């Protein structure tokens, strides 16, 4: 199995390919052109990356965690996870880096203290916010806003995978929040073609969808 740790993969491109290959190995990537998947944002997609499946694979889980640790600056004070998918990864990373851990709910609890942020204090701290996947970025930006409202000094977002939507770039720019991912849609599609997992026709459909994901399904239905 590919590894990202130690001196083997220091180059960002190597990490992107290794992580994309890991997603392929655990069959986290799903293709269905006939019955497209529906994202939380409402976008219909012929390709879906189910990063939650990585949790069941110890070696691959370690690879992803080690890759994350290479993205995170030494001066980060707190590792925070976006509930729910980012929480286990934040826990793995915080443990690996010996950093305090927090997580951010999508909404305040309706009982107890009514907290949105649990775990470590974030006021005045530099936060690395962990997400499993970035599509439009809206849910992640909600967590960024919660951390800032709680007094975080700086927040940057790190994710396993990004669909590379132009809308995500615009959303994070508007929020003035830096973000990066371990791997990207274009890297994954290139790998899937090399592995013969995608036919040239399927790859072309995926790339066409990626250009205008909000309108792709309607255009396909019109023929």
């Amino acid at each position: 199995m590919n590894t990202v740790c130690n001196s083997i993969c220091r180059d960002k491109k190597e990490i992107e390919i290794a992580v994309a290959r890991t997603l392929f190995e655990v069959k986290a990537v799903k293709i269905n052109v006939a019955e497209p998947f529906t994202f939380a944002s409402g976008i219909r997609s012929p390709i879906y990356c189910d990063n939650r499946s990585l949790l069941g694979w110890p070696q691959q889980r370690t690879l992803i965690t080690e890759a994350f640790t290479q993205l995170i600056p030494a001066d980060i004070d707190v590792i925070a996870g976006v509930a729910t998918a980012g929480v286990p990864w934040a826990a793995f990373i915080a443990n690996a880096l010996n950093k305090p851990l927090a997580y951010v709910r999508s909404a305040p609890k309706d009982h107890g203290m009514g907290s949105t942020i649990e775990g470590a204090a974030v006021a005045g701290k530099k936060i690395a916010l962990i997400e499993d996947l970035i599509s439009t970025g809206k849910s992640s930006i909600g967590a960024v806003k919660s951390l800032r409202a709680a007094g975080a000094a700086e927040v940057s977002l790190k994710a396993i995978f990004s669909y590379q939507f132009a809308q995500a770039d615009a959303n994070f720019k508007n929020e003035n929040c830096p973000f990066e991912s371990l791997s990207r849609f274009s890297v994954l599609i290139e790998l899937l073609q090399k592995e013969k997992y995608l036919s040239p026709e399927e790859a072309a459909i995926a790339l066409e969808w990626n250009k205008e994901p909000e309108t792709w399904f309607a255009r396909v239905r019109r023929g």
Side-chain angles (χ1 to χ4, degrees):
M1 189 190 77
N2 289 310
T3 59
V4 177
C5 57
N6 300 326
S7 61
I8 298 174
C9 288
R10 292 292 183 183
D11 179 77
K12 181 169 174 57
K13 183 66 173 180
E14 289 181 316
I15 292 175
E16 287 184 325
I17 293 170
V19 171
R21 186 172 295 281
T22 297
L23 296 174
F24 172 71
E25 287 175 346
V26 304
K27 297 180 172 60
V29 182
K30 315 294 183 185
I31 305 291
N32 194 330
V33 176
E35 297 181 20
F37 305 95
T38 303
F39 291 176
S41 62
I43 289 174
R44 300 296 298 275
S45 169
I47 186 167
Y48 182 68
C49 194
D50 182 14
N51 291 341
R52 288 175 176 85
S53 60
L54 285 165
L55 297 173
W57 297 80
Q59 285 184 297
Q60 287 84 350
R61 192 174 65 215
T62 298
L63 181 148
I64 298 297
T65 302
E66 291 175 345
F68 266 125
T69 65
Q70 294 187 44
L71 280 188
I72 296 171
D75 65 348
I76 285 294
D77 298 308
V78 176
I79 307 297
V82 180
T84 58
V87 174
W89 296 106
F92 301 147
I93 296 161
N95 190 63
L97 295 176
N98 195 30
K99 297 282 187 179
L101 171 68
Y103 70 89
V104 187
R105 300 176 185 274
S106 58
K109 286 195 300 184
D110 59 3
H111 59 281
M113 299 295 290
S115 302
T116 301
I117 301 170
E118 305 285 3
V122 300
K125 306 293 186 181
K126 292 183 178 180
I127 313 295
L129 181 62
I130 309 300
E131 181 65 283
D132 78 326
L133 182 143
I134 299 172
S135 55
T136 63
K138 290 182 179 179
S139 61
S140 303
I141 287 171
V144 171
K145 289 180 176 179
S146 293
L147 289 165
R148 288 175 173 168
E154 294 182 19
V155 183
S156 59
L157 182 74
K158 319 290 183 185
I160 296 174
F161 184 79
S162 169
Y163 280 107
Q164 292 181 277
F165 290 163
Q167 184 61 54
D169 290 338
N171 287 340
F172 283 108
K173 183 177 180 179
N174 289 340
E175 196 59 34
N176 194 27
C177 178
F179 77 100
E180 57 185 331
S181 59
L182 299 180
S183 197
R184 299 171 293 146
F185 183 81
S186 58
V187 175
L188 178 63
I189 294 300
E190 182 179 351
L191 174 68
L192 295 182
Q193 288 185 85
K194 288 181 179 178
E195 296 289 344
K196 309 299 183 185
Y197 184 76
L198 283 183
S199 68
E201 293 77 17
E202 287 173 325
I205 290 170
L207 292 171
E208 181 64 26
W209 162 78
N210 190 247
K211 293 177 184 176
E212 297 182 84
E214 293 88 353
T215 60
W216 173 82
F217 185 65
R219 287 186 282 113
V220 169
R221 292 186 66 181
R222 289 197 301 267

